[in-house]
Amino acid sequence: SVEQTGITLTVVAATSTSAISAVSPTGVTINTATVISFTGYTTGDLAIFVPTGTCASATPGTDISSGSATFTLTSTGVYDLCLRAAGGSDEIAQAAAATQVTVQAVTSPTAITAISPTTLAEDRSSGMALTFSGTAESGDLALLVLSTESCDGKTPTIDVSSGVGYFTVTPAGTYKLCFREKGGSDSVEQT
């Protein structure tokens, strides 16, 4: 055999199944661009979310060097995080349960059917009862925005899982209710 000069091969360690210990959030809404943060990332790591059990056929391509990246998942269900460590060529499902993401349907625009009262004092925390078309769940969130604003891109933060939310609104004006169902990442105007 004759040694070939100038031809080398570098072998890197396989991507660990425990490189990433958690992602946040772990619940997102279908077809909604969502920023997901990673715990345990390394500069140069690449990621992709795929339906559970399909990492072997995936090609991670989203750079998570900053500790977060935007993902849009296009079907409901549970997704695994597949990781390719910096400089690697494999795709390894991350084993921690906290690295799975559940994708749910879009929040219904009729999830909240009524509010009471319909008038609040400006710049004062006031309780507002919400009537749900279904059952309120822990993790349901709401936000009031001026009627001239869109709910898209807003982040509901007021816990309304008890059927009551406490809102402080300013300036005086007409507002609309934006709502996010438990586990979602959207913000939908209630009609």
Side-chain angles (χ1 to χ4, degrees), residues 5-38:
T5 59
I7 298 176
T8 61
L9 171 66
T10 302
V11 177
V12 296
T15 301
S16 169
T17 60
S18 60
I20 305 294
S21 59
V23 299
S24 179
T26 56
V28 301
T29 302
I30 189 171
N31 295 324
T32 301
T34 305
V35 175
I36 298 179
S37 299
F38 299 84

Side-chain angles (χ1 to χ4, degrees), residues 48-189:
I48 190 171
F49 287 93
V50 296
T52 299
T54 62
C55 272
S57 61
T59 303
T62 302
D63 187 342
I64 61 169
S65 292
S66 68
S68 64
T70 301
F71 294 86
T72 302
L73 304 176
T74 58
S75 61
T76 58
V78 177
Y79 283 70
D80 287 338
L81 167 61
C82 303
L83 186 72
R84 176 176 292 165
S89 61
D90 54 2
E91 51 283 324
I92 302 298
Q94 297 301 285
T99 62
Q100 286 188 320
V101 171
T102 301
V103 180
Q104 71 175 37
V106 174
T107 297
S108 169
T110 58
I112 307 293
T113 58
I115 59 172
S116 177
T118 58
T119 302
L120 297 176
E122 176 185 20
D123 204 22
R124 183 173 148 215
S125 180
S126 302
M128 177 188 300
L130 294 91
T131 303
F132 287 80
S133 60
T135 303
E137 292 189 51
S138 177
D140 286 347
L141 301 171
L143 177 71
L144 292 171
V145 299
L146 284 166
S147 62
T148 56
E149 297 179 25
S150 171
C151 287
D152 291 342
K154 302 291 185 192
T155 303
T157 56
I158 306 297
D159 180 358
V160 294
S161 59
S162 68
V164 174
Y166 288 86
F167 299 87
T168 301
V169 292
T170 190
T174 302
Y175 285 76
K176 59 186 168 187
L177 182 68
C178 304
F179 182 65
R180 173 183 293 169
E181 290 178 321
K182 172 187 176 181
S185 59
D186 57 357
S187 178
V188 176
E189 179 180 347

